[in-house]
Amino acid sequence: MREVAQFTRGCPLVAHNAAFDRGFWQAEMARAELEPDVAHEFACTVLLARRLYPQAPNCKLGTLARYHRLPDAGRAHRALADSMTTAHLLMRIQRD
């Protein structure tokens, strides 16, 4: 966690349902006996999607990926696949 915290220091983090992920981030920082990093801001693709795509059936990551025909990154609810899908969704949000 020390290496990850140092590598990402000062960079905003993006997550789908960032409030959930922020809790894990903060718990791991505490476990590593690191000061809470107030410099890390989180962008939440759920909150952005709710505002931009009110016509979408819901704001689940898989639903939004199918709705926008984003590339299939693999099995859902796995870190790499979900982060790749979130990245594609963020790029779509930025474009829109």
Side-chain angles (χ1 to χ4, degrees):
M1 188 61 199
R2 289 181 186 281
E3 290 178 28
V4 172
Q6 182 62 33
F7 180 75
T8 60
R9 184 170 218 72
C11 297
L13 302 175
V14 177
H16 196 73
N17 192 5
F20 179 80
D21 292 335
R22 183 185 302 114
F24 283 101
W25 181 267
Q26 291 170 338
E28 287 302 312
M29 293 284 285
R31 238 178 110 198
E33 298 178 353
L34 298 170
E35 288 294 318
D37 189 357
V38 294
H40 275 105
E41 294 187 31
F42 281 75
C44 182
T45 54
V46 168
L47 296 177
L48 293 167
R50 282 185 185 148
R51 288 188 178 253
L52 288 173
Y53 313 119
Q55 70 281 12
N58 60 54
C59 287
K60 294 178 182 177
L61 184 58
T63 302
L64 290 167
R66 286 186 297 280
Y67 183 78
H68 292 294
R69 296 189 177 111
L70 300 176
D72 185 355
R75 190 167 173 214
H77 301 290
R78 295 291 180 252
L80 182 58
D82 282 0
S83 58
M84 294 296 293
T85 302
T86 301
H88 285 290
L89 178 58
L90 179 64
M91 288 187 288
R92 174 62 191 252
I93 287 170
Q94 289 173 322
R95 190 170 60 236
D96 290 345

